[in-house]
């Protein structure tokens, strides 16, 4: 939904009643705790998953930060990037943070992924 109107949190709350996974971009906004509690209760009662990006949502279960760490060589048959590495930093309340690299590679019209060190053969560091 490209333009959810002036209240994307309300739109996401409605979507949670019928969709198992909702991705909400806050556009840099901070959601007040009372509002977040109401939507979080809706998430839990529906068994859905709410992913919030580009903003602040209090009392989250998991914080994920991800950046493209590099890309894999050009597929000479199609002239496309063959894959890329994503550096991921995960934080959960009360636990030690975890860092890792996830490699995404295209194969036969699909995507495969795996973890591994950032410095692998053929890796070009993104600028």
């Amino acid at each position: 939904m490209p333009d959810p109107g002036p209240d994307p949190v309300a739109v996401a709350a409605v979507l949670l009643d019928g969709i198992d996974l909702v991705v909400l971009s806050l556009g840099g906004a901070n959601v007040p705790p009372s509002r977040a509690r109401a939507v979080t209760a809706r998430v839990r009662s529906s068994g859905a998953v709410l992913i919030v990006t580009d903003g602040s949502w209090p009392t989250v279960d998991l914080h994920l930060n991800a950046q493209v760490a590099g890309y894999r060589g050009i597929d000479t048959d199609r002239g496309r990037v063959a894959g890329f590495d994503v550096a991921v930093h995960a934080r959960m309340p009360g636990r030690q943070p975890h860092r890792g690299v996830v490699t995404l590679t295209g194969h036969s019209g699909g995507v495969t992924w795996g973890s591994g060190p950032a410095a692998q053969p053929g890796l070009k560091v993104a600028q």
Side-chain angles (χ1 to χ4, degrees), residues 16-31:
L16 288 164
D17 288 337
I19 299 175
D20 293 335
L21 173 65
V22 174
V23 179
L24 169 62
S25 174
L26 294 175
N30 295 323
V31 175

Side-chain angles (χ1 to χ4, degrees), residues 20-85:
D20 293 335
L21 173 65
V22 174
V23 179
L24 169 62
S25 174
L26 294 175
N30 295 323
V31 175
S34 59
R35 187 116 195 263
R37 278 192 297 274
V39 176
T40 300
R42 199 172 206 162
V43 169
R44 289 192 175 124
S45 69
S46 68
V49 174
L50 175 63
I51 298 173
V52 178
T53 66
D54 193 27
S56 178
W57 190 276
T59 65
V60 296
D61 295 330
L62 174 66
H63 287 269
L64 283 177
N65 293 322
Q67 289 186 319
V68 174
Y71 61 93
R72 303 206 167 265
I74 300 294
D75 177 346
T76 55
D77 294 334
R78 297 189 179 153
R80 297 182 179 171
V81 173
F84 58 94
D85 291 341

